[in-house]
Amino acid sequence: MSERSGPKTVVFGVTGGIAAYKAVEVCRRLVDAGVHVVPVLTAGAERFVAKTTFSALASEPVQSSLFDEASPIPHTLLARRADLVVVAPATADFLARYAAGTAGDLLGATLLATRAPVLVCPAMHTEMWEHPSVQENLATLRRRGVEVVPPEAGALAAGDVGVGRLAEPAAIVEAALGLLGAHGDLAGHRVAVSAGGTREPIDPVRHLSNRSSGKQGHALARAALRRGAEVTLVTTVASSLPSHPRLSVVRVDTAAEMEAVMAVEAEKADVIVMAAAVADFRPVAIAPSKLTKDQGIPELVLEKTPDILAGLAARRRPGQVIVGFAAETDEPLARARRKRAAKAVDLMVVNDVSAPGVGFDYDTNAVTIVSAFEDREVPLTSKAVVADTVLDQVVELLADGGPEPSPEGH
Ligand code: CTP
């Protein structure tokens, strides 16, 4: 994994299913796309395809054993070299072993040792695909951040037809290149995203906070990574993203901590997205020890927190694109337009958090993206789609050479 320049390295795992013959095509297309492909075949795969085929097509010879290669630790070397691990086809047996974390062969051990993103492409008979144990293993892997290109419906081995056929090589290659960020429209850009509600301490055990889950911010960071950006996620809640060579995560609690980290990030970032719900007020003084009932009802004296977003916009570097978020319950559009102009940001993404399925803990959101020129509505959808729609507009602004001065009155 690396800051290395030069071609990206994909460790390409092939497991033992009939679709292994299609993996030959995936391998060839990855090489054609300029990727350095290191093939790893399981013992099962070798029953379906010859090592020689992959050794001839890939960037280096096939590796298949934990023990008989030149190095005593081939799995850790492979794990470190990988910018991405792709497993195609992934059999039901492989998914079970990977979900259980077994390391009995080179591919399993490499997958445990790597910190690179992983893409699995299952292929099997429909009955096996639909079996709860396969689906649960896949859900476990997804929860751990493994990316999946699901199988398609079509002709299977032995004349059967149904869901389970390995996805088309073109789709697998596109997903792999997306994960490598090789062709992403944010490749070469640095994006700083804040996420979650800040916590402003009252005493050593209590704080003031809000209902933000951080999910929309995390979805933005994930989408920016997939589109090739170098991403820093500044978050008050544990990151839900798998580790990735282009991702740094900074955990913060308070508005003051977030302000300090974002100020440093802003010096390098081309894009700043303040998706965090920054507390507007904090206690003036933090009690040094726990407040107890016998001291009476405490009187909290509050002060305003710094407006991080407005501060970043005031110190904006030329060409930098700045995005704010607003969670509203009344007159969302009018308020968002006013906030966008007052804070001098390019986009203000507003949601009406009183609507069902919108904002806070949901995985869905409905927003309007307010710019100086238009209001773009995104009806109720996943936070992932909202993230990509916001980034589409960011990419447009970057392509135009950065923000334009606002026309009057919007
Ligand atoms: N924000 C910030 N620092 C703060 C408060 C808010 O950076 N102290 C950012 C948020 O991350 C968000 C945007 O400003 O991107 C809008 O926040 P909001 O609290 O809705 O704006 P306010 O100007 O505080 O307006 P309101 O009076 O509605 O609270």
Side-chain angles (χ1 to χ4, degrees), residues 313-400:
R315 297 191 304 276
R316 178 202 289 269
R317 294 192 301 128
Q320 200 170 45
V321 174
I322 303 187
V323 182
F325 271 70
E328 305 288 353
T329 53
D330 302 301
E331 297 193 306
L333 263 184
R335 290 179 58 83
R337 286 185 193 135
R338 278 203 300 277
K339 277 184 191 176
R340 194 204 65 75
K343 299 198 186 203
V345 298
D346 304 297
L347 305 175
M348 188 57 90
V349 184
V350 58
N351 56 12
D352 177 352
V353 287
S354 60
V358 174
F360 296 131
D361 232 355
Y362 297 108
D363 291 319
T364 49
N365 211 351
V367 303
T368 305
I369 305 170
V370 175
S371 74
F373 308 100
E374 58 171 358
D375 302 333
R376 208 177 283 186
E377 212 179 311
V378 188
L380 192 65
T381 181
S382 67
K383 286 187 171 171
V385 170
V386 169
D388 269 316
T389 315
V390 171
L391 292 180
D392 287 345
Q393 267 187 264
V394 166
V395 167
E396 280 174 30
L397 286 165
L398 286 170
D400 291 346

Side-chain angles (χ1 to χ4, degrees), residues 61-372:
V62 164
Q63 300 189 40
S64 54
S65 168
L66 268 170
F67 305 109
D68 65 8
E69 312 294 336
S71 158
I73 46 164
H75 57 297
T76 45
L77 294 180
L78 279 176
R80 282 186 202 140
R81 287 174 63 206
D83 292 303
L84 171 70
V85 182
V86 176
V87 183
T91 60
D93 179 58
F94 164 79
L95 294 173
R97 283 186 283 116
Y98 185 21
T102 63
D105 66 4
L106 182 58
L107 184 58
T110 304
L111 283 164
L112 282 195
T114 195
R115 294 293 171 266
V118 178
L119 176 70
V120 298
C121 313
M124 62 199 74
H125 255 72
T126 310
E127 294 82 352
M128 295 172 82
W129 171 248
E130 288 173 349
H131 197 282
S133 65
V134 170
Q135 290 303 319
E136 278 167 28
N137 287 332
L138 210 57
T140 301
L141 294 174
R142 277 199 164 108
R143 207 175 51 246
R144 293 176 189 158
V146 171
E147 301 282 342
V148 179
V149 179
E152 296 171 355
L156 300 165
D160 292 341
V161 176
V163 177
R165 194 167 79 160
L166 183 69
E168 283 307 312
I172 296 171
V173 170
E174 196 198 307
L177 294 179
L179 284 170
L180 287 172
H183 296 307
D185 51 11
L186 283 172
H189 288 290
R190 296 188 80 103
V191 177
V193 182
S194 69
T198 64
R199 299 188 193 96
E200 311 299 333
I202 297 170
D203 68 12
V205 297
R206 302 181 180 91
H207 61 241
L208 292 178
S209 192
N210 57 66
R211 290 179 52 203
S212 169
S213 62
K215 284 182 179 176
Q216 185 62 72
H218 290 196
L220 277 151
R222 188 185 287 264
L225 265 184
R226 209 187 53 249
R227 296 167 77 141
E230 291 274 339
V231 178
T232 303
L233 174 63
V234 182
T235 176
T236 64
V237 289
S239 167
S240 59
L241 278 72
S243 60
H244 188 290
R246 282 183 281 102
L247 172 69
S248 347
V249 179
V250 185
R251 278 291 292 272
V252 295
D253 263 325
T254 63
E257 286 166 12
M258 185 171 279
E259 184 186 35
V261 176
M262 288 305 288
V264 173
E265 290 303 318
E267 284 174 23
K268 307 173 277 184
D270 307 303
V271 180
I272 297 171
V273 185
M274 280 293 298
V278 183
D280 286 322
F281 308 103
R282 66 186 170 202
V284 170
I286 305 169
S289 48
K290 186 184 155 185
L291 298 170
T292 56
K293 286 192 286 294
D294 48 17
Q295 294 169 312
I297 299 172
E299 285 207 1
L300 288 182
V301 183
L302 303 180
E303 64 183 2
K304 279 178 91 169
T305 54
D307 190 323
I308 304 172
L309 182 61
L312 293 169
R315 297 191 304 276
R316 178 202 289 269
R317 294 192 301 128
Q320 200 170 45
V321 174
I322 303 187
V323 182
F325 271 70
E328 305 288 353
T329 53
D330 302 301
E331 297 193 306
L333 263 184
R335 290 179 58 83
R337 286 185 193 135
R338 278 203 300 277
K339 277 184 191 176
R340 194 204 65 75
K343 299 198 186 203
V345 298
D346 304 297
L347 305 175
M348 188 57 90
V349 184
V350 58
N351 56 12
D352 177 352
V353 287
S354 60
V358 174
F360 296 131
D361 232 355
Y362 297 108
D363 291 319
T364 49
N365 211 351
V367 303
T368 305
I369 305 170
V370 175
S371 74

